[in-house]
């Protein structure tokens, strides 16, 4: 999967204005007909982002890219029903404040459901990290390495401390001047 082919462009108001050539194929292969180009173009990216902390994280990434006019790149998980997948998100800024967001498959491995998050009912608050797919169980973030299924979809999404740290390190790399603030660490 080519980085540009599986990409999308948002304008300065964060509306999706175009998608890459492989977008529809990827959506259909992953049983997501609601995510095809006809259903996403013209809509705000926020229509597809769950959780206040996840929105704040992505807003920080987009704004930093626009301010610094440098690319941002970070790894994230996007598992399917029978596949664990690691992608690289790269965000390219343009002088007109539009941004191209591209995802490239880095690694995938077939997986079969083993334990589900439901096995931790007593402590499980159904919050999942939008970046690494770890679940919050009690005060800890644990990667159950479990593909999503109807029994373990999160009820809310956030960003775990480890992923916030990774983003802060990428922001530090981008920093040319002292005008970029670190991610705000929010309790959810």
């Amino acid at each position: 999967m080519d980085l540009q082919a599986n990409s999308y462009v948002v304008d300065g108001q964060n509306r999706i204005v175009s998608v890459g050539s492989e977008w529809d194929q990827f959506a259909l292969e992953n049983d997501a007909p609601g995510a095809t180009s006809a259903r996403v173009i013209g809509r705000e990216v926020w229509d597809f982002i769950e959780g206040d902390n996840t929105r704040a994280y992505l807003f920080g990434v987009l704004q930093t890219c626009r301010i610094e006019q440098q690319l941002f790149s970070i790894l994230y998980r996007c598992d399917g029903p029978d596949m664990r997948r690691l992608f690289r998100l790269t965000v390219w800024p343009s002088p007109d404040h539009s941004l191209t967001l591209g995802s490239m498959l880095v690694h995938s491995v077939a997986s079969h459901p083993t334990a589900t998050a439901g096995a931790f009912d007593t402590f499980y608050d159904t919050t999942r990290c939008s970046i690494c797919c770890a679940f919050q169980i009690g005060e800890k973030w644990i990667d159950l390495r479990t593909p999503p299924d109807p029994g373990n979809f999160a009820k809310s999404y956030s960003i775990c401390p480890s992923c916030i740290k990774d983003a802060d390190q990428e922001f530090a790399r981008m920093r040319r001047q002292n005008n970029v603030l670190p991610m705000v660490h929010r309790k959810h």
Side-chain angles (χ1 to χ4, degrees):
M1 179 181 308
D2 179 278
L3 188 59
Q4 283 296 110
N6 194 35
S7 65
Y8 61 100
V9 177
V10 296
D11 64 16
Q13 287 73 46
N14 297 316
R15 287 201 180 278
I16 300 170
V17 295
S18 67
V19 297
S21 61
E22 292 181 16
W23 183 272
D24 286 343
Q25 178 184 344
F26 184 80
L28 295 173
E29 285 175 356
N30 288 279
D31 197 26
T36 58
S37 58
R39 302 265 179 111
V40 301
I41 292 176
R43 294 179 60 188
E44 289 188 3
V45 71
W46 312 120
D47 292 346
F48 306 98
I49 309 297
E50 294 290 330
D52 291 340
N53 287 348
T54 304
R55 284 186 188 99
Y57 173 91
L58 186 58
F59 180 80
V61 168
L62 300 182
Q63 289 305 98
T64 300
C65 287
R66 287 180 174 121
I67 291 167
E68 293 296 316
Q69 286 294 296
Q70 289 191 35
L71 71 83
F72 175 90
S73 182
I74 199 160
L75 296 172
Y76 72 96
R77 290 257 307 272
C78 183
D79 296 344
D82 56 0
M83 186 73 60
R84 285 195 338 234
R85 298 180 296 220
L86 182 66
F87 284 86
R88 175 165 299 283
L89 170 68
T90 304
V91 182
W92 295 272
S94 295
D96 67 355
H97 296 290
S98 67
L99 300 167
T100 300
L101 292 86
S103 294
M104 182 174 69
L105 181 65
V106 174
H107 180 73
S108 66
V109 62
S111 64
H112 304 286
T114 54
T116 66
F120 298 93
D121 289 10
T122 309
F123 303 102
Y124 178 54
D125 74 357
T126 64
T127 298
R128 188 174 195 171
C129 179
S130 296
I131 307 302
C132 69
C133 293
F135 282 92
Q136 185 173 17
I137 299 175
E139 293 297 315
K140 296 184 178 187
W141 289 86
I142 298 171
D143 180 1
L144 298 177
R145 301 198 189 286
T146 320
D149 65 34
N152 67 358
F153 271 109
K155 290 184 182 174
S156 66
Y157 288 86
S158 189
I159 306 295
C160 72
S162 177
C163 290
I164 289 173
K165 181 181 174 189
D166 289 346
D168 283 342
Q169 289 173 346
E170 180 66 359
F171 288 143
R173 183 202 60 76
M174 294 170 66
R175 196 176 296 131
R176 293 189 309 247
Q177 300 170 346
N178 290 330
N179 63 348
V180 178
L181 301 175
M183 292 291 293
V184 176
H185 300 271
R186 296 172 47 182
K187 294 268 186 190
H188 47 100

